[in-house]
Amino acid sequence: METLNSAETERKLGFMTRSVHAGNDIDKETGAIRRPITMANSYALPYDPSELNWSSASGNLYTRNGGANQQYLQEKLRSLEEGEDCVVLASGVAALSGVFLTLLKSGEHVVASDSTYIAAYRLLHELLPGKYNIQSTLVDSSNLEAVKAAVRPNTKLIHIETPSNPTLKISDIRAVADIAHEAGALLSVDNTFASPYNQRPLTLGADLCVESLTKYINGHGDAMGGAVIGAREIIDRIRADAMVNVGGVISPFNAWLIMRGAVSLPIRMRQHNQSALEVAKFLEGHDAVRFVAYPGLKSHALHAVAARQMENGFGGVMAFGLRADHDAHNRFVSHLKVVTSAVSLGHDESLIVFLGEKDERQYLYSDEFHDGFFRLSIGLEDTEDIIGDIRQALEKARI
Ligand SMILES: *Cc1c(COP(=O)(O)O)cnc(C)c1O
């Protein structure tokens, strides 16, 4: 019997087919049509192991050098992101730090989006300059002139997040890729908010795509992981540094869970996209709502760019604020029943988090954001139930 894993056959197949089949195969030992979980730290050595490279990341030696389940997951993600190679790591932040610390040396410079996941900000703004003498310039990467102006002769990397966490800024991937390449730098894109179903940065000119697998790709809120996808030569270096030598390896069980979750990524994303657009429109039309930031709304400043580069939809995350004071925002959340107050996003259940007025990144909170706002991740519940829940909570909180 033939299976679908030769790269040749795979290229002709659609995203849904690859979500199901890529990385899976018939287990040679048992004939099971699912690859099993291999919860083993070590793999059998050859007759004479003395010639082996103990730092090799080619797998089948020690799980930190590449266990079976992480290799299967890498095959799936490489296929979904349309990249040459992939490394999976313990978390999205392990993937981000892997990119920064592998590609940047002391004395070099990185330009990055000013609106990013908080740990990316800490890495870029504190850890890299403070400990490694790697300078960073944070810019509004939706403004191409600002990106161009921030590039220096020693800029080796531009890192953007689009849509960004938590303000849903959009950056033009193709245009920023051109700026990076003109300057002899690489572009990495954090694609977590979009997922490969909606956006594939490598096909838009990015050199590296970073994903927090903890979010949409696993989708069930029960396992953490991260991935970097790109050219084999760069991924090999990240694998050697971030996984083998720094130790950011994913557990086989989490890799297996994420592999299982990723099968339904396209159908989940369809529902997230559709439901989030309806919720965003509902919020935009509600008197109690001060603003909504969602790239799918025509009111979003970079809606046209988002529509061009996010081919299937705008994802499930939005930000919004109420025409109310600080306490009323918390009161509203306390009345929600379907939507859960918790961090993270891209889970099966809807999640909301109140981000108050105080943040050291005050530039992030320019415009409407400075009065406090919510990040809302729309889950897979019935859209009417999510909208109904928000409506009743607004009423009960008397906003
Ligand atoms: C959550 C998140 C991360 C970090 O991922 P973890 O798996 O939590 O380490 C990175 N980037 C974005 C955009 C995120 O939302």
Side-chain angles (χ1 to χ4, degrees), residues 171-216:
S171 302
D172 184 331
I173 297 172
R174 198 177 283 285
V176 178
D178 288 344
I179 297 172
H181 297 154
E182 190 107 332
L186 298 176
L187 173 67
S188 67
V189 177
D190 187 329
N191 198 41
T192 302
F193 268 40
S195 91
Y197 179 70
N198 287 332
Q199 176 173 279
R200 284 171 303 286
L202 300 177
T203 68
L204 297 165
D207 300 285
L208 292 167
C209 170
V210 179
E211 292 278 0
S212 166
L213 307 175
T214 312
K215 315 292 173 49
Y216 287 111

mmCIF file of all heavy atoms in Angstrom, residues 171-216:
data_model
loop_
_atom_site.group_PDB
_atom_site.id
_atom_site.type_symbol
_atom_site.label_atom_id
_atom_site.label_comp_id
_atom_site.label_asym_id
_atom_site.label_seq_id
_atom_site.Cartn_x
_atom_site.Cartn_y
_atom_site.Cartn_z
ATOM 1 N N SER A 171 1.106 44.094 9.477
ATOM 2 C CA SER A 171 2.280 44.537 8.717
ATOM 3 C C SER A 171 2.262 43.829 7.372
ATOM 4 O O SER A 171 1.839 42.672 7.278
ATOM 5 C CB SER A 171 3.566 44.185 9.456
ATOM 6 O OG SER A 171 3.551 44.776 10.742
ATOM 7 N N ASP A 172 2.745 44.524 6.360
ATOM 8 C CA ASP A 172 2.758 43.995 4.991
ATOM 9 C C ASP A 172 3.989 43.094 4.833
ATOM 10 O O ASP A 172 5.116 43.575 4.716
ATOM 11 C CB ASP A 172 2.806 45.186 4.019
ATOM 12 C CG ASP A 172 2.716 44.762 2.567
ATOM 13 O OD1 ASP A 172 3.154 43.639 2.239
ATOM 14 O OD2 ASP A 172 2.206 45.562 1.763
ATOM 15 N N ILE A 173 3.765 41.784 4.854
ATOM 16 C CA ILE A 173 4.879 40.826 4.878
ATOM 17 C C ILE A 173 5.780 40.973 3.645
ATOM 18 O O ILE A 173 6.994 41.034 3.761
ATOM 19 C CB ILE A 173 4.346 39.373 4.990
ATOM 20 C CG1 ILE A 173 3.590 39.197 6.313
ATOM 21 C CG2 ILE A 173 5.487 38.369 4.879
ATOM 22 C CD1 ILE A 173 2.855 37.872 6.444
ATOM 23 N N ARG A 174 5.154 41.049 2.459
ATOM 24 C CA ARG A 174 5.955 41.113 1.238
ATOM 25 C C ARG A 174 6.815 42.376 1.195
ATOM 26 O O ARG A 174 8.000 42.330 0.863
ATOM 27 C CB ARG A 174 5.048 41.024 0.002
ATOM 28 C CG ARG A 174 5.803 40.644 -1.243
ATOM 29 C CD ARG A 174 4.874 40.487 -2.430
ATOM 30 N NE ARG A 174 4.114 39.250 -2.443
ATOM 31 C CZ ARG A 174 4.618 38.059 -2.755
ATOM 32 N NH1 ARG A 174 5.900 37.936 -3.036
ATOM 33 N NH2 ARG A 174 3.861 36.976 -2.768
ATOM 34 N N ALA A 175 6.207 43.498 1.586
ATOM 35 C CA ALA A 175 6.939 44.767 1.535
ATOM 36 C C ALA A 175 8.081 44.779 2.559
ATOM 37 O O ALA A 175 9.180 45.258 2.264
ATOM 38 C CB ALA A 175 5.980 45.931 1.785
ATOM 39 N N VAL A 176 7.838 44.231 3.763
ATOM 40 C CA VAL A 176 8.907 44.195 4.770
ATOM 41 C C VAL A 176 9.997 43.201 4.350
ATOM 42 O O VAL A 176 11.188 43.441 4.583
ATOM 43 C CB VAL A 176 8.356 43.878 6.184
ATOM 44 C CG1 VAL A 176 9.489 43.803 7.204
ATOM 45 C CG2 VAL A 176 7.338 44.926 6.619
ATOM 46 N N ALA A 177 9.599 42.116 3.684
ATOM 47 C CA ALA A 177 10.600 41.151 3.181
ATOM 48 C C ALA A 177 11.532 41.853 2.201
ATOM 49 O O ALA A 177 12.755 41.654 2.236
ATOM 50 C CB ALA A 177 9.916 39.960 2.513
ATOM 51 N N ASP A 178 10.970 42.700 1.337
ATOM 52 C CA ASP A 178 11.803 43.427 0.369
ATOM 53 C C ASP A 178 12.791 44.344 1.086
ATOM 54 O O ASP A 178 13.956 44.423 0.706
ATOM 55 C CB ASP A 178 10.923 44.251 -0.586
ATOM 56 C CG ASP A 178 10.175 43.354 -1.575
ATOM 57 O OD1 ASP A 178 10.560 42.169 -1.708
ATOM 58 O OD2 ASP A 178 9.194 43.826 -2.195
ATOM 59 N N ILE A 179 12.307 45.035 2.113
ATOM 60 C CA ILE A 179 13.198 45.935 2.868
ATOM 61 C C ILE A 179 14.327 45.128 3.508
ATOM 62 O O ILE A 179 15.499 45.506 3.449
ATOM 63 C CB ILE A 179 12.409 46.712 3.956
ATOM 64 C CG1 ILE A 179 11.357 47.614 3.305
ATOM 65 C CG2 ILE A 179 13.354 47.518 4.844
ATOM 66 C CD1 ILE A 179 10.395 48.276 4.303
ATOM 67 N N ALA A 180 13.960 43.978 4.116
ATOM 68 C CA ALA A 180 14.974 43.134 4.778
ATOM 69 C C ALA A 180 16.017 42.670 3.774
ATOM 70 O O ALA A 180 17.230 42.796 4.012
ATOM 71 C CB ALA A 180 14.306 41.934 5.446
ATOM 72 N N HIS A 181 15.551 42.171 2.644
ATOM 73 C CA HIS A 181 16.486 41.572 1.683
ATOM 74 C C HIS A 181 17.385 42.629 1.041
ATOM 75 O O HIS A 181 18.574 42.375 0.794
ATOM 76 C CB HIS A 181 15.714 40.750 0.655
ATOM 77 C CG HIS A 181 14.981 39.601 1.297
ATOM 78 N ND1 HIS A 181 13.849 39.025 0.794
ATOM 79 C CD2 HIS A 181 15.247 38.937 2.470
ATOM 80 C CE1 HIS A 181 13.445 38.053 1.600
ATOM 81 N NE2 HIS A 181 14.272 37.989 2.627
ATOM 82 N N GLU A 182 16.802 43.791 0.811
ATOM 83 C CA GLU A 182 17.590 44.924 0.301
ATOM 84 C C GLU A 182 18.749 45.238 1.251
ATOM 85 O O GLU A 182 19.846 45.590 0.823
ATOM 86 C CB GLU A 182 16.667 46.150 0.225
ATOM 87 C CG GLU A 182 17.271 47.317 -0.493
ATOM 88 C CD GLU A 182 16.621 47.504 -1.861
ATOM 89 O OE1 GLU A 182 16.147 46.508 -2.453
ATOM 90 O OE2 GLU A 182 16.562 48.633 -2.306
ATOM 91 N N ALA A 183 18.494 45.085 2.551
ATOM 92 C CA ALA A 183 19.504 45.416 3.565
ATOM 93 C C ALA A 183 20.400 44.216 3.884
ATOM 94 O O ALA A 183 21.240 44.294 4.781
ATOM 95 C CB ALA A 183 18.802 45.895 4.834
ATOM 96 N N GLY A 184 20.205 43.104 3.189
ATOM 97 C CA GLY A 184 21.003 41.908 3.477
ATOM 98 C C GLY A 184 20.614 41.239 4.783
ATOM 99 O O GLY A 184 21.403 40.519 5.383
ATOM 100 N N ALA A 185 19.381 41.494 5.244
ATOM 101 C CA ALA A 185 18.912 40.887 6.494
ATOM 102 C C ALA A 185 17.853 39.824 6.182
ATOM 103 O O ALA A 185 17.337 39.752 5.065
ATOM 104 C CB ALA A 185 18.323 41.967 7.401
ATOM 105 N N LEU A 186 17.530 39.026 7.192
ATOM 106 C CA LEU A 186 16.473 38.022 7.050
ATOM 107 C C LEU A 186 15.197 38.566 7.677
ATOM 108 O O LEU A 186 15.242 39.414 8.567
ATOM 109 C CB LEU A 186 16.863 36.733 7.769
ATOM 110 C CG LEU A 186 18.115 35.995 7.267
ATOM 111 C CD1 LEU A 186 18.390 34.788 8.165
ATOM 112 C CD2 LEU A 186 17.927 35.548 5.820
ATOM 113 N N LEU A 187 14.063 38.044 7.216
ATOM 114 C CA LEU A 187 12.778 38.406 7.840
ATOM 115 C C LEU A 187 12.185 37.185 8.519
ATOM 116 O O LEU A 187 11.992 36.142 7.892
ATOM 117 C CB LEU A 187 11.784 38.925 6.786
ATOM 118 C CG LEU A 187 10.360 39.157 7.331
ATOM 119 C CD1 LEU A 187 10.328 40.306 8.345
ATOM 120 C CD2 LEU A 187 9.371 39.433 6.199
ATOM 121 N N SER A 188 11.862 37.319 9.814
ATOM 122 C CA SER A 188 11.076 36.282 10.479
ATOM 123 C C SER A 188 9.710 36.854 10.831
ATOM 124 O O SER A 188 9.597 38.032 11.184
ATOM 125 C CB SER A 188 11.788 35.732 11.719
ATOM 126 O OG SER A 188 11.880 36.707 12.718
ATOM 127 N N VAL A 189 8.685 36.017 10.692
ATOM 128 C CA VAL A 189 7.311 36.455 10.937
ATOM 129 C C VAL A 189 6.676 35.529 11.967
ATOM 130 O O VAL A 189 6.663 34.307 11.784
ATOM 131 C CB VAL A 189 6.474 36.421 9.635
ATOM 132 C CG1 VAL A 189 5.030 36.814 9.910
ATOM 133 C CG2 VAL A 189 7.069 37.343 8.571
ATOM 134 N N ASP A 190 6.158 36.097 13.047
ATOM 135 C CA ASP A 190 5.374 35.323 14.007
ATOM 136 C C ASP A 190 3.957 35.222 13.448
ATOM 137 O O ASP A 190 3.230 36.209 13.364
ATOM 138 C CB ASP A 190 5.401 36.028 15.378
ATOM 139 C CG ASP A 190 4.737 35.192 16.472
ATOM 140 O OD1 ASP A 190 3.800 34.435 16.156
ATOM 141 O OD2 ASP A 190 5.139 35.324 17.641
ATOM 142 N N ASN A 191 3.600 34.011 13.059
ATOM 143 C CA ASN A 191 2.336 33.768 12.342
ATOM 144 C C ASN A 191 1.259 33.185 13.255
ATOM 145 O O ASN A 191 0.251 32.659 12.786
ATOM 146 C CB ASN A 191 2.633 32.773 11.202
ATOM 147 C CG ASN A 191 1.577 32.749 10.128
ATOM 148 O OD1 ASN A 191 1.061 33.792 9.734
ATOM 149 N ND2 ASN A 191 1.235 31.556 9.643
ATOM 150 N N THR A 192 1.469 33.271 14.573
ATOM 151 C CA THR A 192 0.595 32.589 15.523
ATOM 152 C C THR A 192 -0.872 33.017 15.406
ATOM 153 O O THR A 192 -1.772 32.182 15.481
ATOM 154 C CB THR A 192 1.104 32.857 16.960
ATOM 155 O OG1 THR A 192 2.440 32.397 17.056
ATOM 156 C CG2 THR A 192 0.243 32.168 17.994
ATOM 157 N N PHE A 193 -1.137 34.329 15.255
ATOM 158 C CA PHE A 193 -2.526 34.802 15.228
ATOM 159 C C PHE A 193 -3.264 34.351 13.971
ATOM 160 O O PHE A 193 -4.477 34.207 13.991
ATOM 161 C CB PHE A 193 -2.574 36.341 15.328
ATOM 162 C CG PHE A 193 -2.707 36.854 16.736
ATOM 163 C CD1 PHE A 193 -2.023 36.265 17.783
ATOM 164 C CD2 PHE A 193 -3.538 37.940 17.020
ATOM 165 C CE1 PHE A 193 -2.143 36.740 19.089
ATOM 166 C CE2 PHE A 193 -3.684 38.419 18.321
ATOM 167 C CZ PHE A 193 -2.982 37.819 19.354
ATOM 168 N N ALA A 194 -2.540 34.190 12.877
ATOM 169 C CA ALA A 194 -3.197 33.837 11.614
ATOM 170 C C ALA A 194 -3.321 32.326 11.454
ATOM 171 O O ALA A 194 -4.341 31.833 10.983
ATOM 172 C CB ALA A 194 -2.410 34.418 10.445
ATOM 173 N N SER A 195 -2.257 31.593 11.833
ATOM 174 C CA SER A 195 -2.090 30.159 11.564
ATOM 175 C C SER A 195 -1.878 29.958 10.064
ATOM 176 O O SER A 195 -2.306 30.791 9.255
ATOM 177 C CB SER A 195 -3.286 29.310 12.035
ATOM 178 O OG SER A 195 -4.251 29.169 11.011
ATOM 179 N N PRO A 196 -1.249 28.834 9.701
ATOM 180 C CA PRO A 196 -0.956 28.617 8.266
ATOM 181 C C PRO A 196 -2.219 28.486 7.411
ATOM 182 O O PRO A 196 -2.133 28.613 6.188
ATOM 183 C CB PRO A 196 -0.131 27.321 8.251
ATOM 184 C CG PRO A 196 -0.367 26.681 9.567
ATOM 185 C CD PRO A 196 -0.646 27.782 10.541
ATOM 186 N N TYR A 197 -3.353 28.226 8.021
ATOM 187 C CA TYR A 197 -4.578 28.157 7.210
ATOM 188 C C TYR A 197 -4.901 29.520 6.592
ATOM 189 O O TYR A 197 -5.322 29.616 5.453
ATOM 190 C CB TYR A 197 -5.762 27.675 8.061
ATOM 191 C CG TYR A 197 -7.049 27.601 7.266
ATOM 192 C CD1 TYR A 197 -7.221 26.628 6.282
ATOM 193 C CD2 TYR A 197 -8.088 28.507 7.488
ATOM 194 C CE1 TYR A 197 -8.391 26.569 5.533
ATOM 195 C CE2 TYR A 197 -9.260 28.442 6.749
ATOM 196 C CZ TYR A 197 -9.403 27.469 5.769
ATOM 197 O OH TYR A 197 -10.554 27.420 5.031
ATOM 198 N N ASN A 198 -4.693 30.584 7.353
ATOM 199 C CA ASN A 198 -5.019 31.924 6.856
ATOM 200 C C ASN A 198 -3.859 32.617 6.160
ATOM 201 O O ASN A 198 -4.084 33.467 5.294
ATOM 202 C CB ASN A 198 -5.491 32.819 8.013
ATOM 203 C CG ASN A 198 -6.877 32.459 8.503
ATOM 204 O OD1 ASN A 198 -7.698 31.942 7.737
ATOM 205 N ND2 ASN A 198 -7.147 32.701 9.772
ATOM 206 N N GLN A 199 -2.637 32.312 6.559
ATOM 207 C CA GLN A 199 -1.489 33.090 6.054
ATOM 208 C C GLN A 199 -0.232 32.235 6.084
ATOM 209 O O GLN A 199 0.055 31.601 7.097
ATOM 210 C CB GLN A 199 -1.335 34.309 6.968
ATOM 211 C CG GLN A 199 -0.175 35.227 6.727
ATOM 212 C CD GLN A 199 -0.279 36.475 7.612
ATOM 213 O OE1 GLN A 199 -0.990 37.410 7.288
ATOM 214 N NE2 GLN A 199 0.412 36.479 8.737
ATOM 215 N N ARG A 200 0.521 32.244 4.988
ATOM 216 C CA ARG A 200 1.768 31.488 4.943
ATOM 217 C C ARG A 200 2.908 32.432 4.582
ATOM 218 O O ARG A 200 3.204 32.670 3.407
ATOM 219 C CB ARG A 200 1.645 30.316 3.966
ATOM 220 C CG ARG A 200 0.814 29.161 4.558
ATOM 221 C CD ARG A 200 0.482 28.092 3.583
ATOM 222 N NE ARG A 200 -0.229 28.610 2.436
ATOM 223 C CZ ARG A 200 -1.507 29.004 2.436
ATOM 224 N NH1 ARG A 200 -2.217 28.939 3.541
ATOM 225 N NH2 ARG A 200 -2.063 29.466 1.337
ATOM 226 N N PRO A 201 3.564 32.989 5.605
ATOM 227 C CA PRO A 201 4.584 34.021 5.391
ATOM 228 C C PRO A 201 5.704 33.611 4.437
ATOM 229 O O PRO A 201 6.233 34.448 3.716
ATOM 230 C CB PRO A 201 5.145 34.260 6.798
ATOM 231 C CG PRO A 201 4.036 33.866 7.719
ATOM 232 C CD PRO A 201 3.342 32.729 7.050
ATOM 233 N N LEU A 202 6.055 32.308 4.420
ATOM 234 C CA LEU A 202 7.179 31.899 3.568
ATOM 235 C C LEU A 202 6.827 32.077 2.090
ATOM 236 O O LEU A 202 7.693 32.350 1.273
ATOM 237 C CB LEU A 202 7.570 30.439 3.843
ATOM 238 C CG LEU A 202 8.017 30.137 5.281
ATOM 239 C CD1 LEU A 202 8.305 28.651 5.448
ATOM 240 C CD2 LEU A 202 9.248 30.958 5.658
ATOM 241 N N THR A 203 5.554 31.973 1.763
ATOM 242 C CA THR A 203 5.143 32.162 0.365
ATOM 243 C C THR A 203 5.046 33.653 0.020
ATOM 244 O O THR A 203 4.857 34.010 -1.133
ATOM 245 C CB THR A 203 3.780 31.489 0.074
ATOM 246 O OG1 THR A 203 2.762 32.216 0.794
ATOM 247 C CG2 THR A 203 3.747 30.042 0.503
ATOM 248 N N LEU A 204 5.158 34.508 1.035
ATOM 249 C CA LEU A 204 5.084 35.953 0.818
ATOM 250 C C LEU A 204 6.468 36.596 0.925
ATOM 251 O O LEU A 204 6.574 37.825 1.004
ATOM 252 C CB LEU A 204 4.133 36.584 1.846
ATOM 253 C CG LEU A 204 2.674 36.119 1.769
ATOM 254 C CD1 LEU A 204 1.911 36.515 3.029
ATOM 255 C CD2 LEU A 204 1.984 36.697 0.539
ATOM 256 N N GLY A 205 7.503 35.786 0.981
ATOM 257 C CA GLY A 205 8.862 36.336 0.963
ATOM 258 C C GLY A 205 9.598 36.276 2.285
ATOM 259 O O GLY A 205 10.785 36.617 2.342
ATOM 260 N N ALA A 206 8.934 35.853 3.377
ATOM 261 C CA ALA A 206 9.635 35.749 4.665
ATOM 262 C C ALA A 206 10.639 34.600 4.608
ATOM 263 O O ALA A 206 10.451 33.627 3.867
ATOM 264 C CB ALA A 206 8.644 35.521 5.798
ATOM 265 N N ASP A 207 11.703 34.707 5.412
ATOM 266 C CA ASP A 207 12.702 33.649 5.462
ATOM 267 C C ASP A 207 12.379 32.620 6.532
ATOM 268 O O ASP A 207 12.712 31.450 6.402
ATOM 269 C CB ASP A 207 14.081 34.265 5.746
ATOM 270 C CG ASP A 207 14.454 35.255 4.660
ATOM 271 O OD1 ASP A 207 14.809 34.798 3.567
ATOM 272 O OD2 ASP A 207 14.331 36.478 4.893
ATOM 273 N N LEU A 208 11.747 33.094 7.615
ATOM 274 C CA LEU A 208 11.399 32.195 8.711
ATOM 275 C C LEU A 208 9.982 32.475 9.179
ATOM 276 O O LEU A 208 9.553 33.634 9.228
ATOM 277 C CB LEU A 208 12.353 32.395 9.895
ATOM 278 C CG LEU A 208 13.801 31.967 9.662
ATOM 279 C CD1 LEU A 208 14.682 32.496 10.779
ATOM 280 C CD2 LEU A 208 13.911 30.455 9.568
ATOM 281 N N CYS A 209 9.285 31.407 9.517
ATOM 282 C CA CYS A 209 7.946 31.549 10.074
ATOM 283 C C CYS A 209 7.969 30.926 11.465
ATOM 284 O O CYS A 209 8.443 29.794 11.640
ATOM 285 C CB CYS A 209 6.972 30.805 9.166
ATOM 286 S SG CYS A 209 5.341 30.661 9.869
ATOM 287 N N VAL A 210 7.509 31.685 12.468
ATOM 288 C CA VAL A 210 7.476 31.198 13.854
ATOM 289 C C VAL A 210 6.018 30.976 14.244
ATOM 290 O O VAL A 210 5.155 31.793 13.924
ATOM 291 C CB VAL A 210 8.109 32.239 14.812
ATOM 292 C CG1 VAL A 210 8.060 31.750 16.257
ATOM 293 C CG2 VAL A 210 9.540 32.555 14.400
ATOM 294 N N GLU A 211 5.765 29.863 14.912
ATOM 295 C CA GLU A 211 4.412 29.584 15.391
ATOM 296 C C GLU A 211 4.463 29.189 16.870
ATOM 297 O O GLU A 211 5.314 28.393 17.263
ATOM 298 C CB GLU A 211 3.785 28.391 14.650
ATOM 299 C CG GLU A 211 3.481 28.601 13.192
ATOM 300 C CD GLU A 211 2.149 29.322 12.950
ATOM 301 O OE1 GLU A 211 1.442 29.662 13.922
ATOM 302 O OE2 GLU A 211 1.837 29.536 11.759
ATOM 303 N N SER A 212 3.534 29.725 17.669
ATOM 304 C CA SER A 212 3.267 29.128 18.964
ATOM 305 C C SER A 212 2.225 28.044 18.702
ATOM 306 O O SER A 212 1.075 28.336 18.385
ATOM 307 C CB SER A 212 2.720 30.158 19.952
ATOM 308 O OG SER A 212 2.169 29.466 21.069
ATOM 309 N N LEU A 213 2.634 26.786 18.833
ATOM 310 C CA LEU A 213 1.723 25.662 18.559
ATOM 311 C C LEU A 213 0.670 25.537 19.652
ATOM 312 O O LEU A 213 -0.350 24.875 19.486
ATOM 313 C CB LEU A 213 2.526 24.359 18.461
ATOM 314 C CG LEU A 213 3.706 24.396 17.479
ATOM 315 C CD1 LEU A 213 4.503 23.098 17.546
ATOM 316 C CD2 LEU A 213 3.208 24.630 16.063
ATOM 317 N N THR A 214 0.965 26.185 20.784
ATOM 318 C CA THR A 214 0.074 26.248 21.942
ATOM 319 C C THR A 214 -1.301 26.820 21.570
ATOM 320 O O THR A 214 -2.291 26.535 22.231
ATOM 321 C CB THR A 214 0.736 27.208 22.974
ATOM 322 O OG1 THR A 214 2.106 26.837 23.130
ATOM 323 C CG2 THR A 214 0.038 27.204 24.301
ATOM 324 N N LYS A 215 -1.349 27.605 20.521
ATOM 325 C CA LYS A 215 -2.563 28.345 20.160
ATOM 326 C C LYS A 215 -3.361 27.562 19.112
ATOM 327 O O LYS A 215 -3.805 26.473 19.403
ATOM 328 C CB LYS A 215 -2.180 29.750 19.698
ATOM 329 C CG LYS A 215 -1.138 30.454 20.606
ATOM 330 C CD LYS A 215 -1.695 30.784 21.975
ATOM 331 C CE LYS A 215 -0.661 31.329 22.963
ATOM 332 N NZ LYS A 215 0.206 32.405 22.511
ATOM 333 N N TYR A 216 -3.544 28.108 17.913
ATOM 334 C CA TYR A 216 -4.447 27.454 16.956
ATOM 335 C C TYR A 216 -4.010 26.076 16.505
ATOM 336 O O TYR A 216 -4.845 25.210 16.249
ATOM 337 C CB TYR A 216 -4.632 28.330 15.711
ATOM 338 C CG TYR A 216 -5.483 29.532 15.994
ATOM 339 C CD1 TYR A 216 -4.934 30.805 15.993
ATOM 340 C CD2 TYR A 216 -6.838 29.394 16.297
ATOM 341 C CE1 TYR A 216 -5.713 31.909 16.273
ATOM 342 C CE2 TYR A 216 -7.614 30.493 16.579
ATOM 343 C CZ TYR A 216 -7.057 31.751 16.571
ATOM 344 O OH TYR A 216 -7.821 32.837 16.855
#
